[in-house]
Amino acid sequence: MSGQLKGEKVYHGIAVSAGVCRGRVIVLRRTRHVVAKRTLALDAVEPEVRRFEHALVRTRQQITEIQRRVSQTMSSSEADIFDAHLLMLEDRVLIEEVIKIIREQMANADYAFHTASDRYIAVLAEVEDEYLRERAADLRDLSSRVLDNLLEVKELFDLRHLSEPCLLIGHDLSPSTTAQLDKKFVLGFATDIGGRTSHTAILARSLDIPAVVGLKNLSDDLETGDYVLLDGYNGTITVNPTDQTLFEYGQLAKVKASLEEKLREVQHQSAVTLDGKIIHLSANIESLDDVEAVLAHGAEGVGLFRTEFLFINRASLPTEEEQFQVYRQVAEALKPHSVIIRTLDLGGDKFASHLQLAQEMNPFLGWRAIRFCLAQPELFCAQLRAILRASASGNIKMMYPMISGLDELNQANALVARCKAELRAENIPFAENLEIGAMIEIPSAALIADALAKRVHFFSIGSNDLIQYTLAADRTNEKVSHLYEPTHPAILRLIKMTVDAAHANGIWAGVCGEIAGDPVLAPLLIGLGVDELSAAPAVLDEMKYIIRRIKLTEAQALAAQAMQVDSPTEIFAHCLEFARSTAPSLFENKM
Ligand code: PEP
Ligand code: MG
């Protein structure tokens, strides 16, 4: 029974990853410490000093334990970060100041520590030296841990070490947290904010964990231990589901099981239309671990390898050698299919905490992807060299994210030429004719696609960003999700312009944004002339199922009709009607 809610209650949000699950929830709250001043009796002062010292000892034990666990599972550099915390714990100036406040003001330890550490943090945050300024964040972390111990706040859930299946509920989950979720124990998750193409949602689909976002104040209403049912098809969370609701979902599970059987039949067949048009269907991946799913769903290689996930959730940058090993292993595992490695796309909603980048007002419009890489040639060249070295396997291609114009493309290519020259001089093998593509995800790139097409081997349309940048609708913000319309005529025109420019110049064009994995939109994209679709491995079976039921000529007629319509809703309705009538089984799991 819910802590605050009695009886069944349904919350509506945005469905971002398919599947239904139910169970007890863990509500992830950020700890907010309420620290009030209390005046102590004279004989309580020295015990309070001891309570403070005990909290320091306890904190030291916890940090040492975390450090031990981290060094077992990760490189020692990750574990080293905790050395700084341990050193701060021994800072005599801070400790003596706290004891002085306890004794002189006869104040409680939590108040004394909070006051002293806040003063320290404020001073550190103001200093000119960047290194010292960054220590303010470490001290904030540490002081929060000491306060947890003084106030006896329970440890925040360590998501890497869950021991029982649960559903996670939070105001938000960052892509870096989502990337760490253990599929064995996290049945599903739901957040108050977020959009369908936020990287958190993309990761949920990639991990094949049911998820719903944009549930407004769900996390305030729920308590850890509440029982909920999460429906990742229809975007709902039902708290305290009744027997009737559970029965209805039981029926749904039967429908789903029979669909899965049908989908298994096409899993290892090719994605070919009834009139013989072969669509190259490949997978989007984030790590080496995803290769298994790529093979299981019969994808023809990888159309997008988001390499930035190699850079986050760690204390330092991956070396060239480390990257080379990952790229090489992915390529070897998927031979003879090709693997398109996208160069680093940090920024936007994906950050590497160890890079300590300044916060920006508009991160999606700021220092992201190729812009960031061109400004950090050393970091970029380490990746380019790693990709080039791995390309000796013969099945690697590479593409740049966020190309906005020719200059960026030329600059990136110049760095590739430099890395190639270095490798030649070092006698290190690589594919001399490595194919390089540009992602088309900024309207300016689509508008000059004819010029770009003459300088690359292929295009990959990043519709997630192309939609957000064309319609000025933040892909992570549920408040503008109604404006984020893939079937907006402006999007269709930009896609068509890109595909036509590619074909006029003898190159191919694919789509690797989330619309490429939507069976409702696939016929439209195929009708617009798209040659390749790349999507999360788990959705590829449905894609094959529908592609094998349509004719290219019908898809072309659908696209031609859509290009004549002004209303995004109407275009979507045409697509839905077409998909429903072609593959009704795919829609039977809608409540
Ligand atoms: C896109 O923008 O569509 C894309 C595939 O890249 P990402 O989602 O990683 O930004
Ligand atoms: Mg993108």
Side-chain angles (χ1 to χ4, degrees):
M1 182 61 82
S2 158
Q4 298 174 38
L5 301 164
K6 308 270 178 279
E8 178 174 291
K9 179 165 180 188
V10 183
Y11 290 77
H12 295 269
I14 305 167
V16 297
S17 183
V20 174
C21 58
R22 59 196 164 103
R24 303 268 163 215
V25 303
I26 288 181
V27 181
L28 302 168
R29 296 194 203 287
R30 261 170 282 171
T31 34
R32 285 185 214 102
H33 295 108
V34 184
V35 184
K37 186 176 182 183
R38 281 181 291 115
T39 306
L40 305 170
L42 192 56
D43 60 355
V45 170
E46 287 314 309
E48 192 67 358
V49 171
R50 284 198 293 284
R51 194 168 78 84
F52 169 57
E53 286 167 346
H54 182 72
L56 292 182
V57 172
R58 175 106 196 84
T59 308
R60 162 170 277 281
Q61 286 164 347
Q62 288 163 346
I63 294 175
T64 315
E65 170 58 17
I66 295 173
Q67 193 174 34
R68 190 187 61 74
R69 281 201 316 238
V70 168
S71 63
Q72 273 171 1
T73 50
M74 294 181 206
S75 71
S76 66
S77 52
E78 260 97 2
D80 290 349
I81 202 166
F82 296 103
D83 282 342
H85 288 200
L86 289 172
L87 275 178
M88 282 180 182
L89 261 186
E90 285 170 6
D91 185 330
R92 287 314 306 170
V93 181
L94 176 63
I95 294 174
E96 270 153 28
E97 172 147 10
V98 176
I99 296 177
K100 191 166 152 215
I101 296 174
I102 299 177
R103 287 190 175 137
E104 287 183 1
Q105 300 187 27
M106 296 172 71
N108 46 320
D110 27 311
Y111 169 81
F113 179 73
H114 187 58
T115 310
S117 67
D118 258 16
R119 214 176 284 156
Y120 235 67
I121 291 166
V123 172
L124 281 177
E126 288 296 308
V127 295
E128 294 242 327
D129 184 302
E130 198 180 326
Y131 175 81
L132 285 178
R133 252 199 337 267
E134 285 159 8
R135 300 288 72 75
D138 283 341
L139 184 54
R140 215 171 275 127
D141 254 23
L142 180 70
S143 84
S144 163
R145 197 172 276 284
V146 174
L147 282 174
D148 280 353
N149 284 319
L150 281 168
L151 296 167
E152 294 183 20
V153 175
K154 283 210 192 79
E155 264 251 54
L156 270 181
F157 288 98
D158 183 348
L159 295 179
R160 290 189 208 196
H161 299 93
L162 293 171
S163 55
E164 274 178 40
C166 64
L167 281 80
L168 294 181
I169 309 288
H171 179 65
D172 189 16
L173 273 186
S174 68
S176 56
T177 305
T178 313
Q180 298 174 38
L181 297 183
D182 182 344
K183 250 181 91 166
K184 264 203 315 288
F185 296 117
V186 180
L187 303 174
F189 72 81
T191 58
D192 297 341
I193 65 169
R196 204 184 137 69
T197 58
S198 66
H199 283 96
T200 298
I202 289 170
L203 282 166
R205 285 193 285 280
S206 173
L207 292 163
D208 209 4
I209 295 178
V212 180
V213 303
L215 288 147
K216 303 191 180 69
N217 44 7
L218 176 79
S219 75
D220 286 337
D221 289 359
L222 291 188
E223 295 291 345
T224 291
D226 281 350
Y227 192 81
V228 310
L229 187 148
L230 181 154
D231 177 353
Y233 298 112
N234 298 288
T236 58
I237 287 277
T238 309
V239 186
N240 301 327
T242 59
D243 288 348
Q244 176 63 23
T245 304
L246 291 175
F247 172 77
E248 284 166 16
Y249 273 92
Q251 299 301 102
L252 188 75
K254 283 186 196 152
V255 172
K256 182 75 186 133
S258 103
L259 171 63
E260 271 167 9
E261 205 164 303
K262 287 183 195 151
L263 294 180
R264 264 195 297 279
E265 284 166 22
V266 294
Q267 217 161 46
H268 293 285
Q269 296 182 355
S270 54
V272 56
T273 63
L274 291 173
D275 49 357
K277 167 79 181 168
I278 294 172
I279 305 298
H280 194 92
L281 203 54
S282 47
N284 292 352
I285 63 167
E286 281 81 38
S287 75
L288 178 60
D289 294 345
D290 298 332
V291 165
E292 206 179 307
V294 176
L295 294 168
H297 291 280
E300 290 168 274
V302 165
L304 165 64
F305 181 175
R306 289 185 167 94
T307 55
E308 45 282 2
F309 289 92
L310 302 177
F311 288 68
I312 54 187
N313 289 328
R314 47 183 297 148
S316 57
L317 291 171
T319 61
E320 173 188 321
E321 181 61 25
E322 197 179 335
Q323 292 186 64
F324 162 66
Q325 291 299 345
V326 175
Y327 305 149
R328 187 188 59 78
Q329 287 179 62
V330 171
E332 289 296 335
L334 295 173
K335 259 180 173 172
H337 297 303
S338 58
V339 172
I340 302 180
I341 302 182
R342 173 176 74 186
T343 61
L344 188 60
D345 181 9
L346 279 180
D349 60 350
K350 288 170 293 193
F351 296 98
S353 53
H354 57 86
L355 287 174
Q356 303 276 0
L357 301 177
Q359 279 204 348
E360 296 178 289
M361 292 285 276
N362 292 301
F364 275 116
L365 299 183
W367 215 33
R368 182 187 166 192
I370 196 74
R371 303 161 178 196
F372 172 78
C373 286
L374 291 174
Q376 311 269 332
E378 232 172 86
L379 175 153
F380 192 31
C381 284
Q383 179 174 47
L384 294 177
R385 282 177 56 103
I387 296 173
L388 281 165
R389 285 170 58 195
S391 73
S393 68
N395 58 332
I396 285 182
K397 299 182 189 353
M398 178 172 84
M399 66 183 177
Y400 307 127
M402 289 273 292
I403 291 291
S404 67
L406 281 178
D407 276 357
E408 281 167 335
L409 180 65
N410 292 337
Q411 284 173 45
N413 281 339
L415 288 175
V416 173
R418 191 175 99 189
C419 294
K420 281 184 171 180
E422 281 172 15
L423 293 173
R424 257 181 236 117
E426 294 164 33
N427 274 326
I428 298 177
F430 63 91
E432 281 285 353
N433 52 359
L434 171 74
E435 291 190 13
I436 299 180
M439 285 194 72
I440 304 295
E441 47 185 354
I442 299 184
S444 61
L447 292 166
I448 59 157
D450 53 342
L452 292 169
K454 295 182 176 62
R455 294 163 176 88
V456 292
H457 292 92
F458 63 91
F459 284 153
S460 187
I461 300 172
S463 51
N464 303 337
D465 280 313
L466 187 62
I467 297 169
Q468 86 162 342
Y469 293 134
T470 305
L471 303 177
D474 182 342
R475 59 193 270 191
T476 66
N477 186 340
E478 73 289 354
K479 295 195 183 74
V480 291
S481 63
H482 61 289
L483 297 172
Y484 189 96
E485 291 173 302
T487 50
H488 194 294
I491 304 299
L492 268 45
R493 288 180 203 185
L494 290 174
I495 293 178
K496 178 138 176 41
M497 197 177 260
T498 305
V499 172
D500 289 350
H503 293 170
N505 287 281
I507 64 169
W508 59 267
V511 177
C512 63
E514 296 307 294
I515 57 172
D518 185 341
V520 175
L521 300 177
L524 175 66
L525 296 175
I526 292 168
L528 288 171
V530 167
D531 306 289
E532 181 238 23
L533 295 169
S534 190
V539 303
L540 294 181
D541 304 343
E542 290 197 1
M543 297 297 291
K544 266 188 201 168
Y545 186 81
I546 191 155
I547 290 169
R548 292 176 62 82
R549 274 168 178 70
I550 63 171
K551 283 192 182 147
L552 175 63
T553 49
E554 291 167 348
Q556 285 168 335
L558 176 74
Q561 182 193 26
M563 292 299 287
Q564 302 302 315
V565 177
D566 298 328
S567 150
T569 331
E570 206 181 309
I571 296 174
F572 185 79
H574 286 308
C575 292
L576 185 60
E577 191 186 300
F578 181 79
R580 269 186 196 277
S581 60
T582 317
S585 309
L586 295 184
F587 299 88
E588 284 166 4
N589 47 16
K590 301 282 175 216
M591 291 291 270

